[in-house]
């Protein structure tokens, strides 16, 4: 069959949930057995998301091949259950960088280099290349931003040309718009959608289908009206109203016939989707048999999207344990004040069933994170340290158990005499900050007999003793101190294979024997977690948290939680738009 392209554009506002909508359509096609890939187009001029502030833009998602991408790439991976890479996130920065490099090399000699055709050709080349990379049957292309933005024009022109070249039967345009509900007049307002479709038509694209994003279901009359004004068949106007869980959106769309519609428009045969396991997972999310409360001690606590993959990994891990995971955000700076004084007491943290310190950069809040690791270690609270979370656990252990008072990471104190966490030697020569960390998938050799080994074997990752996880860091546990730390009882549970020859086995994971669950990883296993295939360290963490919750319930433990914000109800939208 010819390769098919599904283009998703957005109208009215950003952060609409286009990523979830695109991913959900992808999930419905995957459930029908198609080979699907997805491309996110980001109209910003940054070459990648690696240099952008997570507080504004949401997390930086890392792929196997070490690309630092938009968080929507993570959503695609989780919904499509595929591994994506560098080629799946196209930005204006990449496109222009290459066009200008080519121009300097003389590749366009004698020509005037222009947005059309040179920039648009480069955009199309990247979309085609993403399809070729995995020999996809269907390529989903999500154009970031909102129709009408100046910066998305070349991308809209490129996708317009693709229909012209590849034919109507091989291309589909889906426009996702906001339909606001006005409480005082009790009606859904369709005008912004009409305007947005008109803008899209103005650049030569007539959408084949609309997905209306709304808070409440849009009544039939509103949908008909929009169909009429937009020139879209009435049965091609779908409604993605706010869902209780993002993973419920594929079924919501399937019930409205989205899957069948896409099949029909692209001339695909009719296939019954296999959605049972997915539906069962959503059922557990809605009706968990038990619950655990997890404290995430981090820096960007007001912006949950900064930790999107982490929260999803906790959800997946909850499903594997039939448990609901209640996330409480604890600002690390609320734990220990600037003067080193305790702000929240140890008992406050001990009220949780698990403590997680996620990845991060910079010194702000670091002492609070060290304290969180200490409370978890001394009170027997399940602890999962991700990247920076492992590094602070090592610092805490060095200071308070191994007798290395004043130990630190050279990231936080350049002149510390005891740099138990130090810059990796290969980082010393690095110039510039874009794409220069240790990035992407790296193997870890899991040490036999460790808890970590049991986790990876219990949760079915078949490749032991080697597992691959994704990385994004510059610092590492300093090999010069590993002996002193292990003498004091710290267990190195994972190392980089083949590094021993260099006299230094990079520490990939640590754990503490005799503790219910105290695990730290240099990698970010959350990036590989999937709805039906949870990440083993996360699944084990939640299993241990469930055990603690059960014990505490049996002991009738009082609820002594600090005043933290709850993650709250889920939105379909997000910073990724
Ligand atoms: N800042 C630490 C480093 O670069 C941790 C990075 C992270 O947590 N991703 O090593």
């Amino acid at each position: 069959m010819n390769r098919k392209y599904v283009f998703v554009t957005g109208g009215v506002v950003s952060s609409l949930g286009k990523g979830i909508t695109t991913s959900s359509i992808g999930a419905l096609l995957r459930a029908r057995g198609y080979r699907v890939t997805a491309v996110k187009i980001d109209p910003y001029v940054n070459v990648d998301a690696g240099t952008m502030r997570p507080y504004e833009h949401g997390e930086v998602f890392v792929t196997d091949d070490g690309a630092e991408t938009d968080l929507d790439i993570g959503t695609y991976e989780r919904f499509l259950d595929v591994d994506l890479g560098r080629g799946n996130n196209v930005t204006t920065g990449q496109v222009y960088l290459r066009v200008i490099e080519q121009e300097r090399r003389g590749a366009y000699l004698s020509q005037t280099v222009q947005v059309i055709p040179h920039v648009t050709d480069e955009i199309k080349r990247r979309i085609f290349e993403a399809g070729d990379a995995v020999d996809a049957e269907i390529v989903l292309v999500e154009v970031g931003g909102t129709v009408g933005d100046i910066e998305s024009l070349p991308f809209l022109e490129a996708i317009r040309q693709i229909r012209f070249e590849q034919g109507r039967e091989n291309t589909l345009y889906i426009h996702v718009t906001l339909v606001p509900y006005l409480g005082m007049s009790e009606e859904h307002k369709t005008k912004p959608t009409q305007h947005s479709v008109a803008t899209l038509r103005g650049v030569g694209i007539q959408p084949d289908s609309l997905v209306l994003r709304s808070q409440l279901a849009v009544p039939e009359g509103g949908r008909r009206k929009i169909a009429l004004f937009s020139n879209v068949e009435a049965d091609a106007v779908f409604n993605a109203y706010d869902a209780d869980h993002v993973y419920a959106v594929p079924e919501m769309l399937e019930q409205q016939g989205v899957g069948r519609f896409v099949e029909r428009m692209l001339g695909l045969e009719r296939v019954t989707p296999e959605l049972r396991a997915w539906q069962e997972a959503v059922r557990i999310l809605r009706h968990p048999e038990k619950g655990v409360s997890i404290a995430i001690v981090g820096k960007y606590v007001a912006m949950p999207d900064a930790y999107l993959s982490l929260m999803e990994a906790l959800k997946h891990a909850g499903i594997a344990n039939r448990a609901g995971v209640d996330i409480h955000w604890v600002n690390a700076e609320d734990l220990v004040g600037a003067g080193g004084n305790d702000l929240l007491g140890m008992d406050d943290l001990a009220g949780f069933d698990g403590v997680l310190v996620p990845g991060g950069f910079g010194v702000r809040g670091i002492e609070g994170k060290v304290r969180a690791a200490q409370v978890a270690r001394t009170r027997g609270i399940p602890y999962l340290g991700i990247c920076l979370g492992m590094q602070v656990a090592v610092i805490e252990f060095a200071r308070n158990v191994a007798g290395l008072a004043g130990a630190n990471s050279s990231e936080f104190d350049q002149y510390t005499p005891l740099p138990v966490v130090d810059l990796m030697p290969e980082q010393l020569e690095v110039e510039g900050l874009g794409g220069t960390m240790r990035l992407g998938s790296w193997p870890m050799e899991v040490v036999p007999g460790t808890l970590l080994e049991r986790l990876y074997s219990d949760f079915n990752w078949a490749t032991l003793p080697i597992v691959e996880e994704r990385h994004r860091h510059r610092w590492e546990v300093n090999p010069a101190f590993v002996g002193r730390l292990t003498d004091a009882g710290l267990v190195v549970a994972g190392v980089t294979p083949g590094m021993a020859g260099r006299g230094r086995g990079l520490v990939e994971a640590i754990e503490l024997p005799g503790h219910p669950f105290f695990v730290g990883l240099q990698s970010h296993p959350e990036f590989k977690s999937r709805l039906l295939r949870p990440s083993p360290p996360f699944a084990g963490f939640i299993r241990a948290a469930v055990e603690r919750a059960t014990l505490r319930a049996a002991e009738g433990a009082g609820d002594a939680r600090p005043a933290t914000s709850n993650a709250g109800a889920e939105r379909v939208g997000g910073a990724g738009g």
Side-chain angles (χ1 to χ4, degrees):
M1 90 185 201
N2 289 325
R3 184 164 298 154
K4 311 287 182 181
Y5 297 88
V6 177
F7 300 106
V8 181
T9 51
V12 184
V13 294
S14 59
S15 299
L16 193 60
K18 238 176 16 243
I20 301 290
T21 306
T22 307
S23 301
S24 297
I25 294 168
L28 296 180
L29 295 169
R30 288 279 291 144
R32 288 169 162 80
Y34 290 107
R35 228 171 16 258
V36 185
T37 192
V39 178
K40 171 77 189 290
I41 289 173
D42 280 309
Y44 47 69
V45 187
N46 302 60
V47 169
D48 63 37
T51 52
M52 284 190 286
R53 197 181 304 136
Y55 194 76
E56 237 171 72
H57 199 77
E59 83 176 355
V60 176
F61 185 79
V62 180
T63 53
D64 276 335
D65 63 1
E68 298 177 284
T69 68
D70 185 83
L71 52 71
D72 278 327
I73 305 300
T75 308
Y76 301 159
E77 284 203 347
R78 288 186 287 269
F79 276 67
L80 274 59
D81 196 13
V82 292
D83 294 322
L84 302 175
R86 191 167 299 281
N88 297 92
N89 194 185
V90 176
T91 69
T92 296
Q94 291 165 15
V95 169
Y96 273 85
L97 192 62
R98 175 160 157 126
V99 169
I100 293 169
E101 275 168 5
Q102 300 232 91
E103 188 276 332
R104 290 290 80 186
R105 275 211 317 274
Y108 306 116
L109 221 51
S110 81
Q111 298 175 40
T112 308
V113 182
Q114 294 180 299
V115 172
I116 304 169
H118 302 97
V119 166
T120 45
D121 279 356
E122 175 60 17
I123 294 167
K124 286 190 290 180
R125 192 187 67 79
R126 283 173 188 256
I127 292 171
F128 297 144
E129 205 173 68
D132 289 341
V134 289
D135 193 21
E137 292 165 305
I138 303 167
V139 183
L140 299 168
V141 181
E142 177 188 347
V143 182
T146 307
V147 165
D149 294 346
I150 291 174
E151 45 186 24
S152 58
L153 280 175
F155 296 106
L156 296 175
E157 171 59 14
I159 67 170
R160 185 196 67 76
Q161 291 179 12
I162 292 178
R163 164 163 288 184
F164 189 76
E165 292 163 4
Q166 305 289 317
R168 194 164 275 277
E169 66 289 0
N170 296 320
T171 50
L172 184 65
Y173 296 117
I174 300 178
H175 192 48
V176 185
T177 70
L178 177 74
V179 177
Y181 180 76
L182 287 194
M184 61 265 192
S185 53
E186 293 181 4
E187 46 175 356
H188 282 94
K189 304 306 286 183
T190 60
K191 189 80 49 114
T193 296
Q194 294 174 38
H195 282 291
S196 177
V197 171
T199 308
L200 194 54
R201 261 200 238 115
V203 296
I205 296 174
Q206 163 65 48
D208 302 301
S209 165
L210 297 174
V211 176
L212 312 177
R213 278 284 297 120
S214 60
Q215 199 183 344
L216 308 166
V218 178
E220 183 60 28
R223 282 151 77 161
R224 269 183 208 291
K225 188 171 159 193
I226 290 174
L228 179 66
F229 283 116
S230 311
N231 232 347
V232 170
E233 292 171 46
D235 64 358
V237 179
F238 304 103
N239 184 197
Y241 46 88
D242 283 357
D244 53 349
H245 293 283
V246 289
Y247 296 109
V249 177
E251 205 190 342
M252 176 197 290
L253 294 179
E254 180 64 23
Q255 277 166 1
Q256 296 175 33
V258 172
R260 179 70 203 115
F261 170 79
V262 175
E263 281 176 332
R264 180 161 63 79
M265 295 299 284
L266 294 176
L268 303 170
E269 61 183 278
R270 184 169 192 155
V271 181
T272 308
E274 178 49 66
L275 288 166
R276 266 171 304 179
W278 188 288
Q279 285 163 341
E280 171 62 8
V282 174
R283 198 192 60 74
I284 297 174
L285 271 177
R286 287 187 172 139
H287 310 289
E289 288 166 13
K290 51 220 163 195
V292 291
S293 62
I294 302 296
I296 300 184
V297 181
K299 191 159 72 167
Y300 304 117
V301 294
M303 171 65 165
D305 271 354
Y307 301 112
L308 184 60
S309 294
L310 194 82
M311 295 189 345
E312 297 307 308
L314 286 169
K315 245 184 252 171
H316 307 160
I319 292 168
N321 289 286
R322 305 192 157 265
V325 179
D326 197 7
I327 294 172
H328 293 257
W329 298 96
V330 177
N331 186 343
E333 286 174 293
D334 291 343
L335 284 179
V336 176
N341 50 316
D342 270 319
L343 296 179
L344 283 171
M346 293 227 183
D347 287 337
D348 291 327
L349 267 193
F352 293 102
D353 304 314
V355 171
L356 190 153
V357 177
F361 297 84
V363 69
R364 190 153 66 81
I366 217 64
E367 289 306 321
K369 293 177 189 178
V370 172
R371 184 60 49 87
Q374 183 185 16
V375 176
R377 180 178 59 78
T378 55
R379 295 293 184 92
I381 310 166
Y383 178 86
L384 183 60
I386 302 294
C387 202
L388 178 68
M390 176 190 90
Q391 296 173 358
V392 296
V394 168
I395 294 168
E396 191 279 318
F397 186 88
R399 289 180 187 172
N400 300 321
V401 183
L404 300 168
N408 212 335
S409 163
S410 56
E411 180 180 7
F412 316 127
D413 176 4
Q414 223 184 318
Y415 304 107
T416 174
L418 297 167
V420 291
V421 175
D422 204 4
L423 209 54
M424 291 183 285
E426 47 274 45
Q427 283 292 328
L428 289 171
E429 290 117 54
V430 160
E431 281 173 40
L433 291 180
T436 54
M437 281 185 262
R438 180 177 186 240
L439 286 166
S441 200
W442 290 83
M444 160 169 78
E445 195 174 330
V446 180
V447 175
T450 57
L451 170 61
L452 197 67
E453 185 194 40
R454 208 173 76 218
L455 299 180
Y456 278 97
S457 71
D458 284 359
F459 295 100
N460 197 26
W461 275 28
T463 57
L464 277 172
I466 303 289
V467 297
E468 299 229 346
E469 296 287 7
R470 299 181 191 169
H471 292 67
R472 182 171 188 254
H473 66 116
R474 293 183 204 281
W475 276 265
E476 61 166 323
V477 177
N478 188 341
F481 288 92
V482 169
R484 268 185 273 179
L485 294 169
T486 52
D487 284 350
L490 190 78
V491 166
V492 173
V495 291
T496 311
M499 299 288 280
R502 280 168 52 187
R504 43 186 297 277
L506 212 55
V507 174
E508 284 284 352
I510 56 115
E511 61 185 53
L512 286 178
H515 189 287
F517 187 102
F518 195 100
V519 174
L521 293 119
Q522 185 56 74
S523 58
H524 290 267
E526 68 270 25
F527 289 139
K528 288 179 74 162
S529 180
R530 302 279 160 86
L531 183 65
L532 305 174
R533 204 152 31 86
S535 162
F538 280 85
F541 174 57
I542 296 302
R543 183 170 63 187
V546 167
E547 279 160 20
R548 176 175 165 85
T550 314
L551 261 176
R552 290 199 325 138
E555 287 164 1
D559 222 10
R561 275 175 210 159
T564 53
S565 61
N566 195 312
E570 196 148 18
R571 302 155 305 146
V572 173

